[in-house]
Amino acid sequence: MSELEPHDGADQVQEQGLVVDNSWAALRRFTAARIALGRTGVSQPTAPQLEFQLAHAQARDAVHQALDVAPLLAGLAKLCGQPALSLHSAAASRDIYLQRPDLGRRLDDASRETLQQQARADDGFDLAVVVADGLSALAIEQNVLPFLACLAARLAPESWTLAPPAVVLQGRVAVGDEVGQLLGARAVLVLVGERPGLSSPDSMGLYLTWAPRVGLTDASRNCISNVRPAGLGYEAAAFKLHYLLSEARRRQLSGVALKDETAGSDSALSASPRNFLLE
């Protein structure tokens, strides 16, 4: 039997051996989502099932993988021209971090003392850069340094005073507010490993907060998500973030009051994949 009649209103499908191809298969080139996988009987074919199990294992591994701190600290020090700080949240272990999100949002006592020694007595810093492992150390190891190199190139012509970069183990987004507050920074940028998806175990998020202080909510932050080679590229993300940083400093605010108005205004963005549904 080479062909089947349309089933449940779907387009006609072609059967090759025991696997029935889905006629939407051509759309898979537009997305990493698991669509048009075909079927064998009423079940999913073996190959997509194995691919799903692999992706699930990679996502789990990303959550539990420990961040390799030493090369990251060395890379940050070289890129920023000053020693990087190694800090820790109040979550003493990975298990505690996963079960107690609140502890991942605050620093431990030793880290607070370290930052108090680093704070400037004069006019403080314009920007504090905080790297947190979050829910994917893999995302941090792969994306932080190349992204910051792109951002540094955009900030170089401008007068930004940068605090020593900080790496927070077992850290969540809000831990950046405490780091920025203790350093006396006018703004804080948190680079964090995002919750892995089944096609994106290496996705990094960027969170910008003006006037950081403990107790702020997500309404006070601007987020740029899915920064990675297969998502939002480094140049495009750096362009968007540079715009938000510049506007945050000019207007002295961030969060819901600050909108990203960069769409279509830079070649780095125009090179990003377009939504085929809008063409």
Side-chain angles (χ1 to χ4, degrees):
M1 181 172 59
S2 59
E3 293 187 348
L4 296 178
E5 295 297 323
H7 178 66
D8 290 338
D11 293 336
Q12 190 174 29
V13 294
Q14 181 177 5
E15 184 177 23
Q16 299 177 348
L18 298 177
V19 177
V20 180
D21 291 335
N22 190 296
S23 58
W24 285 18
L27 297 180
R28 297 189 66 187
R29 70 181 186 272
F30 296 109
T31 177
R34 286 174 169 77
I35 65 170
L37 300 180
R39 62 181 176 85
T40 174
V42 296
S43 302
Q44 185 171 258
T46 300
Q49 176 64 19
L50 292 176
E51 291 170 358
F52 174 86
Q53 292 177 346
L54 174 61
H56 187 258
Q58 290 172 331
R60 289 175 60 89
D61 288 347
V63 170
H64 294 281
Q65 176 180 326
L67 181 64
D68 192 358
V69 179
L72 180 58
L73 291 173
L76 287 171
K78 182 178 180 179
L79 184 62
C80 300
Q82 55 183 322
L85 306 175
S86 181
L87 308 175
H88 205 290
S89 77
S93 68
R94 195 62 174 173
D95 287 343
I96 294 176
Y97 170 84
L98 294 174
Q99 296 175 52
R100 291 285 306 275
D102 58 313
L103 296 181
R105 300 183 183 113
R106 298 299 302 271
L107 295 168
D108 63 11
D109 292 338
S111 297
R112 276 194 289 271
E113 183 177 347
T114 296
L115 290 177
Q116 288 167 353
Q117 297 171 357
Q118 293 289 330
R120 289 175 53 160
D122 48 12
D123 196 30
F125 301 99
D126 288 326
L127 179 64
V129 176
V130 178
V131 178
D133 47 5
L135 289 170
S136 176
L138 176 66
I140 295 304
E141 293 175 359
Q142 293 185 354
N143 300 312
V144 163
L145 295 179
F147 166 73
L148 285 179
C150 294
L151 179 63
R154 292 185 177 273
L155 294 180
E158 304 172 1
S159 56
W160 288 86
T161 56
L162 301 179
V167 177
V168 182
L169 289 178
Q170 315 301 351
R172 295 185 182 269
V173 172
V175 77
D177 294 336
E178 187 171 17
V179 174
Q181 182 178 10
L182 290 172
L183 288 173
R186 281 172 279 281
V188 64
L189 169 64
V190 178
L191 295 79
V192 64
E194 295 184 312
R195 186 186 308 275
L198 289 175
S199 61
S200 56
D202 58 343
S203 179
M204 181 176 71
L206 314 174
Y207 291 82
L208 167 64
T209 307
W210 181 262
R213 63 186 184 278
V214 174
L216 293 179
T217 67
D218 286 341
S220 300
R221 306 182 183 101
N222 291 90
C223 174
I224 300 174
S225 185
N226 196 31
V227 179
R228 59 191 182 105
L232 182 64
Y234 302 138
E235 286 290 350
F239 172 75
K240 284 178 170 287
L241 180 60
H242 178 252
Y243 169 83
L244 291 173
L245 281 168
S246 300
E247 288 298 298
R249 183 163 68 167
R250 182 178 71 87
R251 299 163 60 182
Q252 299 191 13
L253 53 80
S254 62
V256 296
L258 179 60
K259 306 301 181 184
D260 177 7
E261 299 176 354
T262 60
S265 58
D266 187 82
S267 59
L269 296 180
S270 62
S272 300
R274 294 180 56 84
N275 186 337
F276 73 97
L277 294 174
L278 302 179
E279 295 178 347

